[in-house]
Amino acid sequence: MTEKPRRRASSKGKTLDLIRSAGPISRVELAELTGLTQATISTVVRELLADGVISETGRGESTGGKPRMRLEINPASRLALGVHVGQDYITYVVADLSGTVVGRTRVDGPGDASPVAVVSRMTDDIESLIVGLDLDRSSIVGMGLAIPGPVDRENGTVRGVPSLAGWSDFPIRKALATTTGLQCEFDNDATAAAIGEYWLGATEGYGSYASVYMGSGIGSGIVIDGTIYHGVSSNVGEIGHISVDANGLVCPCGNIGCLELYAGPRAIVEKARDAVANGTLDLPLTGRISVDFAAIGSAAARGDAAARALIEESADYLAVALVSMVNLLDLQLIVLAGSAFSTAGSIYVQTIARVLSERALARGIHGVEVRMSVNGNDAAALGAATLMLQDRLSPRSLRSVTFA
């Protein structure tokens, strides 16, 4: 195995990242924690203060000498938009440097509209959000776009996404950057959600973790030793297309027995329709996958036996796939994100945690914590915003590994 050269985080980015996550903090502490010299820290801090990204907040307690001046992030100094294009909804958020959402809106999804028509509508939505919040446009560093995979991150397109029929090879990133005038970054929604968890400090203490994102499909973002892992083509973590039945159903992706065919919202809603038809489930269904899946989850949480059985079946299949992921990557934490977990997330957490405690290979050495995302239904959109903030202000190295 050989590892390609990769860009390291700059001194400025590394310092800002630490002030953001650990502030208020002194220059001396920054030098100790980053390994940078006092001279380098002084220069970097001076630049950050001039940029208005950080501020001095007074002196800390004396340790025998002159009290040290403390530094902290200036959250409102920079803003980013985050956009998540889902099957049923498009979610927009504006986030500041601390990851706090200062505004959001959600509208209907693309449906059967052409990508050109959807981009036009999204441009209007973004402008309305900026104007409605009375944002200082000079503080907006850009826009992050999260979208279901497979993605071609280099060219800013998607390839063969079932929920976005007709979008293959459409230059969505370039189109939105052109119509909005904003720099646009682009990533898989599951990876964006994982970045958002890190940015908000929700994964502190865990060097390796996965954020499992379930919306219309199932994907995962993976962090190894504190670094987001993109893989060769930025399509890492497609856990929804791990085979859980070698003799199972044929998936549109070309594989057999894919997890999404058994655990995904569409699969569970189809089973719910059958249950309603044969009288074993009393639940009105609308025909909209996300709405119906949420209704099944709510019924399960209320104690409806038939609905709970459907959700538990989904959770069991997902747990089986996660055992393989945990065994392969030796993870310490699984975070569940996405709208599909909004009503019955606790059932998924309990089921997956139990299965991992019973079956994960290294269970005798360390446990694996399973918990819900701190970002709720906005995980991908907020992650997209933090993706933009991180790229512009505190870039981290991206690991790229190939096998010889």
Side-chain angles (χ1 to χ4, degrees):
M1 182 179 73
T2 59
E3 188 171 308
K4 296 177 182 179
R6 57 190 185 272
R7 178 168 59 95
R8 296 284 183 180
S10 67
S11 298
K12 193 173 182 179
K14 186 187 298 185
T15 303
L16 179 60
D17 208 21
L18 191 55
I19 295 171
R20 183 189 58 78
S21 61
I25 189 171
S26 70
R27 291 168 175 79
V28 171
E29 290 169 318
L30 285 171
E32 292 173 349
L33 292 172
T34 61
L36 299 172
T37 65
Q38 287 283 358
T40 298
I41 287 293
S42 294
T43 300
V44 167
V45 166
R46 188 161 51 249
E47 292 175 358
L48 292 172
L49 287 168
D51 289 342
V53 179
I54 65 171
S55 57
E56 294 180 324
T57 60
R59 299 186 183 276
E61 294 182 5
S62 173
T63 56
K66 184 179 180 180
R68 298 168 180 172
M69 185 65 73
R70 313 290 283 179
L71 304 163
E72 67 178 11
I73 205 78
N74 181 6
S77 64
R78 299 291 188 276
L79 303 171
L81 280 90
V83 183
H84 177 222
V85 179
Q87 181 175 29
D88 292 333
Y89 301 102
I90 300 175
T91 303
Y92 305 88
V93 302
V94 177
D96 66 18
L97 268 183
S98 68
T100 299
V101 173
V102 299
R104 71 181 297 279
T105 188
R106 174 175 286 183
V107 301
D108 288 339
D112 297 326
S114 71
V116 172
V118 175
V119 166
S120 177
R121 176 159 66 91
M122 291 173 69
T123 302
D124 291 340
D125 292 338
I126 290 166
E127 180 64 18
S128 295
L129 185 61
I130 292 173
V131 172
L133 293 172
D134 193 24
L135 300 180
D136 177 1
R137 292 175 188 267
S138 66
S139 68
I140 301 174
V141 300
M143 170 176 55
L145 176 64
I147 203 159
V151 302
D152 183 340
R153 192 162 173 256
E154 181 176 351
N155 293 308
T157 63
V158 296
R159 296 281 184 90
V161 178
S163 60
L164 296 173
W167 286 53
S168 289
D169 296 324
F170 176 76
I172 178 66
R173 179 178 61 195
K174 181 179 179 180
L176 274 176
T178 299
T179 59
T180 63
L182 296 171
Q183 180 176 335
C184 184
E185 288 298 323
F186 174 84
D187 218 322
N188 181 288
D189 51 10
T191 298
I195 293 171
E197 295 294 316
Y198 161 78
W199 186 269
L200 291 177
T203 59
E204 186 175 358
Y206 292 93
S208 300
Y209 66 91
S211 175
V212 176
Y213 190 88
M214 186 157 74
S216 58
I218 308 173
S220 64
I222 298 171
V223 171
I224 299 175
D225 294 335
T227 301
I228 194 76
Y229 179 64
H230 274 108
V232 173
S233 66
S234 298
N235 287 297
V236 71
E238 288 289 354
I239 191 173
H241 296 284
I242 287 178
S243 180
V244 292
D245 185 348
N247 300 305
L249 302 169
V250 177
C251 182
C253 79
N255 195 12
I256 294 174
C258 287
L259 174 66
E260 281 187 9
L261 301 178
Y262 301 88
R266 181 175 296 277
I268 299 305
V269 169
E270 288 176 355
K271 291 181 179 181
R273 289 195 192 108
D274 292 339
V276 169
N278 63 33
T280 58
L281 177 64
D282 182 14
L283 194 66
L285 299 177
T286 66
R288 297 185 68 179
I289 298 299
S290 61
V291 173
D292 291 343
F293 188 77
I296 296 166
S298 294
R302 291 194 305 267
D304 184 290
R308 187 175 181 95
L310 289 171
I311 295 297
E312 287 181 342
E313 181 178 357
S314 170
D316 283 337
Y317 273 112
L318 181 54
V320 168
L322 285 173
V323 168
S324 296
M325 177 178 280
V326 167
N327 285 349
L328 183 65
L329 300 175
D330 197 20
L331 302 173
Q332 302 167 289
L333 172 67
I334 301 292
V335 179
L336 305 183
S339 58
F341 294 118
S342 62
T343 57
S346 61
I347 297 175
Y348 282 93
V349 169
Q350 293 166 10
T351 301
I352 294 167
R354 173 181 55 79
V355 172
L356 288 173
S357 69
E358 295 171 350
R359 305 184 202 173
L361 186 63
R363 62 189 181 276
I365 301 172
H366 69 83
V368 180
E369 183 177 352
V370 182
R371 65 190 188 205
M372 292 298 299
S373 166
V374 297
N375 299 322
N377 290 348
D378 292 337
L382 182 55
T386 59
L387 171 71
M388 188 71 242
L389 290 166
Q390 183 163 289
D391 181 80
R392 291 296 301 275
L393 299 172
S394 57
R396 297 174 64 83
S397 59
L398 301 180
R399 193 178 303 276
S400 180
V401 179
T402 57
F403 291 86

